[in-house]
Amino acid sequence: MDRYAIIVDAGYFYAAGFTAIESPNLHRANVRLTDPRKLLENLKQKAEDLADANNLLRVYWYDAPISGGMTPDQAELSQLPSLKLRLGVMNGHGQQKGVDSLIVTDLVELARQRAISDAIVISGDEDIRVGVAIAQSYGVRVHVLGIGDTQKNMSNGLRQEADTVAELNAQWFEHVFTRLENTENQYIEVPAESVPDPWKSIVDNLLANRDRAELTGIVALIESSGGIPAEYDRPFIGALGKFEKRRLSPEELAEARKIFRERLAELILLKSAE
């Protein structure tokens, strides 16, 4: 397999990028990406310097809606070829939630499906270390691409887990951001299909009262067997059938099981934060 994926934690990309250009107090509402297409080309060039592979599968851009809607940057990125916009949620304190679990879930799934040989991960978060380790167990080489002073904005654990670590410096970010004069009406309504799937509540009910160790054990079983254990899968699919009042199609079943895995990863993160 000669194919790589670029995985971008947008929260880290903006925050660390602002610090790299010596504007740590800059807010995302005050900037736009100058040229998203050129940005992705530059990321692709950097990725090919790090990876053994030369063929891009796609760029995964992980972010969260802000003020109940997508930013112009998110809306434009979502329309670009070979880019998948993946949105978590933003809580009342302006903190992204669910983004790390999306990164871990996708990284592990790409590795398990043998879809890539290399992953270039732009993040500094300790929480994705487990995803890096599992992907490596499937033979994927993981290259962590930090921004600016990674001694300050990247966890030591993530650095140690990675196969290679590189940095994007201030010069690389010189023309990435454009400052805005007028920041009014900078949000776009999120379409209904972007709202978190109500099927997640069924996962919550099924896994209620499970502690972090039990949830992590389910992840281990999924990874070892390649599927959700029957004692969880059968009641989950049964509950979905009752909720929808019909039998689900094979495509819907595949999507439902993906939602189960994503929500499982989110619940583990929530338990870790308690």
Side-chain angles (χ1 to χ4, degrees):
M1 176 63 66
D2 179 28
R3 195 160 56 189
Y4 68 91
I6 301 174
I7 292 173
V8 183
D9 177 347
Y12 174 80
F13 183 85
Y14 281 95
F18 294 160
T19 300
I21 61 174
E22 299 183 353
S23 300
N25 295 322
L26 197 61
H27 191 274
R28 286 181 58 174
N30 303 119
V31 302
R32 286 287 307 274
L33 295 175
T34 304
D35 188 341
R37 288 181 180 272
K38 184 175 180 180
L39 167 63
L40 296 188
E41 283 300 315
N42 291 342
L43 284 177
K44 181 179 177 181
Q45 291 176 9
K46 185 66 176 180
E48 291 182 359
D49 290 339
L50 300 174
D52 296 328
N54 294 313
N55 298 308
L56 174 67
L57 173 64
R58 66 179 59 89
V59 177
Y60 293 84
W61 189 277
Y62 298 84
D63 209 348
I66 300 174
S67 296
M70 285 198 295
T71 67
D73 282 346
Q74 290 167 351
E76 186 171 358
L77 286 166
S78 70
Q79 301 301 313
L80 295 182
S82 299
L83 184 140
K84 177 70 173 179
L85 178 65
R86 299 277 276 146
L87 296 178
V89 296
M90 188 77 72
N91 68 13
H93 302 289
Q95 300 170 319
Q96 292 183 349
K97 294 296 181 182
V99 171
D100 292 338
S101 65
L102 289 174
I103 293 174
V104 169
T105 299
D106 287 345
L107 182 56
V108 170
E109 192 67 10
L110 288 169
R112 190 175 70 84
Q113 297 292 341
R114 310 294 184 189
I116 57 173
S117 60
D118 295 77
I120 292 78
V121 179
I122 301 176
S123 181
D125 202 320
E126 174 72 19
D127 288 338
I128 70 169
R129 180 179 181 179
V130 62
V132 171
I134 295 173
Q136 289 170 328
S137 73
Y138 285 104
V140 172
R141 286 178 55 79
V142 181
H143 313 273
V144 175
L145 185 54
I147 297 172
D149 188 354
T150 58
Q151 296 293 332
K152 294 181 179 179
N153 64 26
M154 180 185 294
S155 81
N156 288 330
L158 180 59
R159 179 189 299 277
Q160 293 164 6
E161 203 71 60
D163 289 293
T164 66
V165 177
E167 297 177 358
L168 296 173
N169 58 25
Q171 183 178 2
W172 193 93
F173 274 88
E174 185 175 355
H175 301 295
V176 168
F177 304 118
T178 296
R179 301 190 188 211
L180 302 175
E181 296 297 329
N182 184 354
T183 60
E184 294 181 1
N185 301 319
Q186 289 297 312
Y187 303 102
I188 299 172
E189 184 179 354
V190 177
E193 58 267 26
S194 297
V195 177
D197 200 299
W199 288 357
K200 287 186 178 182
S201 63
I202 295 176
V203 182
D204 291 350
N205 291 335
L206 184 62
L207 299 179
N209 302 319
R210 303 299 199 281
D211 60 24
R212 186 179 184 278
E214 290 174 304
L215 297 176
T216 304
I218 298 172
V219 172
L221 288 172
I222 292 173
E223 292 306 317
S224 63
S225 65
I228 300 170
E231 60 265 35
Y232 297 99
D233 188 66
R234 289 173 182 168
F236 175 52
I237 298 303
L240 288 179
K242 290 181 180 179
F243 175 78
E244 297 290 346
K245 297 182 175 59
R246 60 181 175 84
R247 292 174 63 89
L248 274 63
S249 69
E251 293 77 15
E252 288 173 318
L253 290 174
E255 180 63 21
R257 289 178 173 119
K258 182 179 180 182
I259 289 171
F260 182 98
R261 294 191 295 271
E262 291 176 353
R263 185 55 180 165
L264 176 59
E266 291 173 0
L267 290 174
I268 291 173
L269 291 177
L270 292 172
K271 291 289 184 181
S272 299
E274 289 179 352

